[in-house]
Structure formats: C-alpha cells, structure tokens
Amino acid sequence: MYKLLGGLKDYFKWQEVQTDNAVFRLHNVFTTVLLLTCSLVITATQYVGQPISCIVNGIPTHVVNTFCWISSTFTMPDAFNRQVGSEVAHPGIDNDFNDEKAKKYYTYYQWVCFVLFFQAVACYTPKFLWDAFEGGLLRTIVMGLNLGICREEEKKAKKAVLVSYLRTHVKRHKMYAIRYWICESLCLVNIIIQMWMMNKFFDGEFLSYGWKIMNYSETPQDQRIDPMVYVFPRITKCIFHKYGASGSIQKHDSLCLLPLNIVNEKTYIFIWFWYIILLVLLFGLIIYRALIIMMPRVRAQILNARNRMVPRDVAFAISKHLDIGDWWLVYMLGRNLDPIIYKDVLTQLVEDIPEEDKKDEHNWLWSDELLGDDGGWSDY
C-alpha cells in the first residue's frame, strides 16, 4: 500500500515561487491527493479483496457473487425502523413480497473508485489551467530574489531589472490577474457541482449525510436509523433467477455481505466534512477578492500587511497609481521576494510618482471620489 500511495507525495513538493494562495492549493493539491488516495484504497480493496459475498443454496457461490456485483442489490427502507434480531434479520433486510416500489436499489458501489478519480481530475483542472496561463512569469521576474543571500552587486543588478520591468510593462497585467481569479472561481464552481453530482450519485443522500451522522446520537433510540448503514448498507438482498429441471423459472433470494461499504462510509464522511470546510473557505475567498477589486482603498492596507517593512505612504502610492492587474503582480511579488528586497523594489518604484501626488496619499485613503480609480502611472 505504501508503494501504491508513495507517488502522491510529489504533489506536496514545496514551491520556491508561489503563484497562488493557500486556499487555492487546498483545493487543487490537498483535495486532489485526498481523492486519489481514497480512489486507490477503494480500488485495492475492491479488486484485491472480496468486495461482495452472497449466501444462496443450490447455486455456485462465485456465480451469485458475480451476478449480484455487476447487477445490483437492494434493501427494504421500511425495515430499517424495525428491531434487528426479532423483527428483521439485519437492518433493511425483510421479505419484499414482490413489491418493487418498496425496494431501494444500490448500484453505485462498483463505480465509487472511478468517480473519485474523476473528481480528483476535476479538482486539479484549475491548477492545470492557471499553470498554463501563468507561463512561469513570476519565476522569471523573481530571478532568485526570494533568497536574499547573494552578492550585493548581483542583488542590485537584479533589483534594477525588476523595477525596470514593472515600469515598462505598466497596464499589461490585467488579464494575468483576471485569469487567476477566474481559476479561483472555478474552484468554487467545481465544489458546488461535485456536491450536487454526489448527491445525485447517492440518490439524494449525500448533502444531508454529515448532518444525519452528527444528529444520530441525539435521536431517540426507537427512531434511530444509522445513516451510514442506510446509505452504505453492509447486508443487502439480491434476487437470482434460473430455470429448473422442468423449464420453469426459479427465484433464489440471497443475502449479500458488502465489506467494501465499511471503507466507503468512512471515506465519504471525511469527504463530506472536507467539502463543507472547503466550500466555506472558497466563498470567503471570493468575497475577499471582490473587496480587492471594488475597493481600491483596501489594496493599500493589504499591501502594507503583506510586508510591514514597506512604509504606508509607499503602499498607498503603489495602490493608487497602479491598475488592478499591476497591483496584483506587485502583491504576488511580496509573497516571493525577500522582505528587504521587496521593500527596496517598491520604494524605487514610487520614485516616478510626482511629488504633488505623494502629498495627498493619506487623504486618498479616506477619499470617496477616487473609489474605483485604477489608472496607471501618471508619467505613462
């Protein structure tokens, strides 16, 4: 199992130059690895162990096992409310009396490992798209300045090149920021769609799965239905028909043990809670991005919070005179450059701002008339 899962550790390699944020990586890296791990574990359990074992008289066991696995099994939902051992043999197991409408069929279990794999692919897609859009821009302009340990001449030359790039390419990074924010929005859309599809996959039981488990212990004993057993039953029924010696159709009612559902129920408990947490984080991230886009005054405070060594007036000047795309690139540089080098770069960057504009930077922070102003350098 270690060899099977060992290759997934490559997803957690530290990025020397970070082009995204923590929530983005939680969705694209951690969730992808989580889903791939679950898929591999269930695949190994399904195809190495015995995923189903049925009891029936007069028919070879392997025939019934194969038939019930590739077709479907069922329970009787009404039987979940009855006393096990006296009224029913197992939760959900009772005589069906040929009432098809009273049966609840389970056909998902052979598809779980594949569904988890495609969910992992969907979670990785935003990162794949962003890496293609980003094209290594940050890594190129950082030029190894994320580590401040280098010769002073080399450091000075690289800072000059970086400042020159930012001055020359003003107002050319708006699409860079927009593409990244679109990829972040795709993460939220992906989680919402996946939760909706899993709810369909489990016949409308997934969205309430976690809530039912949390409320299970508080439910009166005579009204309890274990949600894990209801969604992932350990014992089900299967009907096998064959012809008898006289040519008449014979019906064989068998009980089937599904040990794989022990793994499935624990897997989807964790996935449910993780998806709820991720959904909240992504909603908060989208609101945070909306504030950055719609409230330019907030950008100065965020830039100053990114690196406290950057003077407030420098942060205000940068946020006022750069458009949203250039501001975002400068902000991302703060995540990658050495703090002292980052302060020096921003300080040199504001030298092009006219003195009369520098005098009212603090007034701009409280000014409403400039809300939404995203003009470039006054010199360009």
Side-chain angles (χ1 to χ4, degrees):
M1 184 61 71
Y2 175 78
K3 292 182 179 179
L4 187 64
L5 302 177
L8 297 178
K9 69 178 183 299
D10 294 337
Y11 286 92
F12 293 113
K13 285 184 177 179
W14 175 256
Q15 299 177 3
E16 293 184 1
V17 177
Q18 297 181 359
T19 62
D20 47 24
N21 76 335
V23 178
F24 194 69
R25 290 193 295 274
L26 282 176
H27 175 275
N28 300 325
V29 178
F30 180 80
T31 308
T32 299
V33 172
L34 169 65
L35 294 171
L36 286 176
T37 300
C38 293
S39 178
L40 289 173
V41 170
I42 292 175
T43 301
T45 307
Q46 177 172 319
Y47 292 104
V48 176
Q50 185 74 11
I52 189 171
S53 182
C54 298
I55 305 172
V56 66
N57 295 323
I59 303 175
T61 303
H62 71 278
V63 174
V64 180
N65 288 345
T66 304
F67 170 78
C68 294
W69 176 255
I70 64 176
S71 57
S72 61
T73 59
F74 66 91
T75 59
M76 306 297 293
D78 290 341
F80 282 100
N81 293 313
R82 300 177 188 174
Q83 186 66 35
V84 176
S86 58
E87 297 179 289
V88 294
H90 300 280
I93 302 301
D94 195 11
N95 197 322
D96 57 87
F97 298 106
N98 295 320
D99 185 3
E100 287 295 325
K101 294 182 179 180
K103 299 178 182 177
K104 178 178 175 59
Y105 283 92
Y106 300 87
T107 59
Y108 60 81
Y109 38 76
Q110 62 265 52
W111 295 102
V112 168
C113 58
F114 302 106
V115 170
L116 288 171
F117 174 77
F118 287 115
Q119 285 182 253
V121 172
C123 286
Y124 192 77
T125 299
K127 175 175 172 55
F128 175 81
L129 292 175
W130 171 235
D131 288 344
F133 290 146
E134 205 271 339
L137 175 63
L138 268 178
R139 180 177 293 276
T140 301
I141 64 178
V142 166
M143 298 178 292
L145 291 176
N146 52 327
L147 299 176
I149 305 175
C150 61
R151 290 183 297 122
E152 190 62 34
E153 296 81 6
E154 179 185 357
K155 187 187 302 184
K156 186 176 180 180
K158 288 182 177 179
K159 284 193 293 185
V161 172
L162 177 54
V163 173
S164 175
Y165 172 85
L166 294 174
R167 289 172 176 170
T168 305
H169 294 80
V170 170
K171 295 186 178 181
R172 298 184 184 179
H173 301 104
K174 186 169 291 186
M175 285 305 300
Y176 181 88
I178 290 174
R179 285 171 177 170
Y180 174 72
W181 292 330
I182 289 175
C183 290
E184 281 188 338
S185 301
L186 285 178
C187 296
L188 177 61
V189 172
N190 174 61
I191 292 299
I192 293 174
I193 291 177
Q194 283 200 28
M195 293 186 71
W196 176 79
M197 292 183 66
M198 281 191 286
N199 196 53
K200 289 288 185 181
F201 185 58
F202 292 114
D203 295 326
E205 298 292 341
F206 179 76
L207 291 180
S208 59
Y209 185 52
W211 299 118
K212 289 180 179 178
I213 291 174
M214 288 189 293
N215 295 328
Y216 175 65
S217 60
E218 300 177 1
T219 306
Q221 186 69 35
D222 57 344
Q223 300 177 12
R224 284 188 180 184
I225 298 178
D226 189 341
M228 291 189 292
V229 175
Y230 185 77
V231 181
F232 301 100
R234 292 87 181 259
I235 302 291
T236 57
K237 296 185 69 176
C238 179
I239 304 298
F240 184 83
H241 294 92
K242 75 179 187 69
Y243 286 100
S246 63
S248 60
I249 297 178
Q250 296 179 347
K251 175 183 176 182
H252 296 268
D253 194 339
S254 61
L255 287 180
C256 295
L257 176 66
L258 295 171
L260 185 63
N261 273 350
I262 298 294
V263 180
N264 287 335
E265 66 183 21
K266 306 301 188 299
T267 297
Y268 278 97
I269 289 174
F270 191 84
I271 289 176
W272 188 90
F273 281 104
W274 175 245
Y275 269 46
I276 293 297
I277 294 172
L278 201 56
L279 191 65
V280 173
L281 291 175
L282 287 169
F283 264 120
L285 181 63
I286 296 301
I287 294 172
Y288 178 60
R289 295 293 181 241
L291 291 175
I292 291 176
I293 295 172
M294 296 185 296
M295 301 179 64
R297 292 175 297 175
V298 176
R299 300 175 200 165
Q301 300 175 22
I302 294 173
L303 205 60
N304 183 251
R306 176 78 270 169
N307 187 342
R308 292 295 183 180
M309 299 179 67
V310 177
R312 289 174 63 95
D313 56 341
V314 172
F316 296 150
I318 291 291
S319 301
K320 176 182 177 181
H321 292 279
L322 287 181
D323 71 5
I324 186 64
D326 296 329
W327 179 89
W328 178 253
L329 182 65
V330 168
Y331 174 76
M332 291 305 295
L333 284 173
R335 301 176 66 93
N336 294 283
L337 292 181
D338 177 80
I340 298 177
I341 295 176
Y342 183 64
K343 182 201 70 171
D344 295 341
V345 168
L346 294 194
T347 302
Q348 293 179 36
L349 200 57
V350 299
E351 291 178 357
D352 283 351
I353 301 176
E355 286 298 326
E356 58 270 18
D357 286 349
K358 292 181 182 178
K359 293 178 181 179
D360 64 350
E361 297 303 341
H362 292 284
N363 294 332
W364 171 79
L365 180 63
W366 307 105
S367 174
D368 290 330
E369 64 183 11
L370 287 173
L371 188 64
D373 176 24
D374 58 358
W377 294 105
S378 56
D379 289 349
Y380 291 89

